Amino acid sequence: MKTFLDCFPCIMTQALRAGRIATDDENKIKEILGEVGCALKTLPLENTPPHNGEVIYRIISEVTGNPDPYREIKKSNIKEALSHINEFRKIINGADDPLLMAIRLAIAGNVIDFGVNGSFDIIAEVNETIDKEFAICDYELFLSELEKSEYVLYLGDNAGESVFDRLLIEQLGKPVLYAVRGIPVINDVTEREAVESGINEVATIISSGSTAPGAIPELCSPKFRKLLNNSEFIISKGQGNYEALSGTELPVFFMLKAKCEIIASDIGVKKNDIILKRNRIISNNK
């Protein structure tokens, strides 16, 4: 997915929010906004939003000297999600279709996004998503392709959301490789947060090597790119991974809530819709 001009105000808002989290030095925050503003002049619209986001968050880290400004927020999000994990398991186990319910909850967890949202109510989001109709639901295809797969490559998104990913992984019935960001970026999950969420108890944690808020293949490690290209069943969580991979022909199932108008329009849904969408079908039916 390319970057649109409408993305630019959001980029500046994110830069201001992240700058205030990273430092209370007003001069440094002003410097961040100035450098981001200058960067916008040369950021190609043909690049994906996570590609351009990598530039923005690198500026924030360099100006503030803080490589992980969201660290305490990530810990807090994980702690809150874990405090409800047994309640969420009861919801899943009591459902007519536990796997589909686990998918719903995994999408509900996608609201924990400081790139788009300044605040959120995760319990309210869960309660809403339990009964919400999917705008796109390729669940039958999901079941069919899951059954044929040897393993699942699961692309994580936000740190607090990884607790909900854990609940879905428990229902998949397949070995899972859980891919995290290569470095801290926004509140996205790295190996550290994946372990705190207990992902290591249900999956093998691997690094994508990505330095961007999305699994952009060319910004991932060569080892991960090879895995990405050879995997037959991929779950992609969140907007950043959608933006990074929607232009590919990889066998991806996108799971997300469309939290902005631009992404909703690109998918063909309304803002705040929930989506389980198979990427375009490719010729070899992978």
Side-chain angles (χ1 to χ4, degrees):
M1 175 182 156
K2 73 168 199 170
T3 298
F4 294 84
L5 291 176
D6 300 80
C7 297
F8 284 20
C10 185
I11 288 172
M12 292 301 295
T13 299
Q14 288 184 44
L16 177 59
R17 182 186 301 139
R20 284 180 167 158
I21 291 171
T23 180
D24 57 5
D25 186 327
E26 291 288 309
N27 289 323
K28 287 187 176 181
I29 296 171
K30 184 175 182 293
E31 183 181 350
I32 288 169
L33 295 177
E35 291 201 20
V36 170
C38 288
L40 290 180
K41 296 179 182 179
T42 58
L43 291 180
L45 292 177
E46 293 74 22
N47 279 358
T48 67
H51 219 138
N52 292 330
E54 191 272 343
V55 176
I56 303 313
Y57 286 97
R58 177 158 34 87
I59 289 172
I60 294 166
S61 293
E62 289 174 354
V63 171
T64 65
N66 187 343
D68 194 4
Y70 285 87
R71 173 61 188 149
E72 292 305 314
I73 290 174
K74 290 187 287 185
K75 286 174 62 177
S76 176
N77 291 161
I78 291 169
K79 182 178 180 180
E80 179 181 0
L82 284 174
S83 72
H84 299 287
I85 194 168
N86 289 330
E87 300 168 46
F88 298 151
R89 282 199 179 105
K90 287 180 181 178
I91 292 172
I92 292 169
N93 293 333
D96 292 337
D97 187 333
L99 176 56
L100 183 58
M101 182 58 73
I103 289 171
R104 286 182 173 277
L105 291 182
I107 293 172
N110 187 229
V111 76
I112 308 174
D113 184 356
F114 280 90
V116 177
N117 300 315
S119 61
F120 46 82
D121 184 336
I122 192 58
I123 298 302
E125 188 70 20
V126 166
N127 289 334
E128 177 186 340
T129 308
I130 286 173
D131 298 314
K132 191 179 182 76
E133 291 293 326
F134 282 89
I136 299 174
C137 186
D138 292 333
Y139 184 54
E140 294 304 319
L141 189 56
F142 181 94
L143 290 175
S144 174
E145 296 197 17
L146 177 63
E147 183 178 3
K148 293 183 291 185
S149 67
E150 292 184 16
Y151 65 91
V152 174
L153 176 58
Y154 197 123
L155 310 182
D157 188 31
N158 303 315
E161 182 180 353
S162 62
V163 175
F164 296 82
D165 296 337
R166 173 182 170 182
L167 292 169
L168 175 52
I169 290 168
E170 291 173 355
Q171 296 294 323
L172 290 174
K174 297 281 183 175
V176 174
L177 301 176
Y178 188 81
V180 299
R181 304 287 187 248
I183 63 170
V185 55
I186 323 182
N187 67 324
D188 287 1
V189 61
T190 66
E191 182 176 2
R192 187 183 206 178
E193 289 84 36
V195 171
E196 290 173 356
S197 295
I199 293 289
N200 58 308
E201 298 175 15
V202 294
T204 299
I205 301 170
I206 60 173
S207 173
S208 67
S210 176
T211 55
I216 304 169
E218 58 266 37
L219 293 184
C220 293
S221 67
K223 181 179 180 180
F224 184 76
R225 285 200 302 272
K226 183 176 180 180
L227 175 65
L228 196 62
N229 290 326
N230 290 333
S231 293
E232 296 184 341
F233 191 92
I234 303 169
I235 291 174
S236 165
K237 287 297 298 299
Q239 294 192 150
N241 287 326
Y242 172 81
E243 291 166 330
L245 297 173
S246 59
T248 72
E249 292 188 342
L250 293 168
V252 178
F253 283 91
F254 296 108
M255 292 184 192
L256 69 151
K257 179 176 183 177
K259 291 170 285 190
C260 83
E261 296 284 0
I262 295 170
I263 289 180
S265 176
D266 190 75
I267 298 173
V269 299
K270 297 177 181 178
K271 184 179 177 181
N272 294 321
D273 277 345
I274 60 173
I275 296 110
L276 170 61
K277 181 182 187 297
R278 173 61 157 83
N279 203 17
R280 68 187 76 179
I281 304 298
I282 56 180
S283 58
N284 60 3
N285 292 319
K286 285 181 80 173

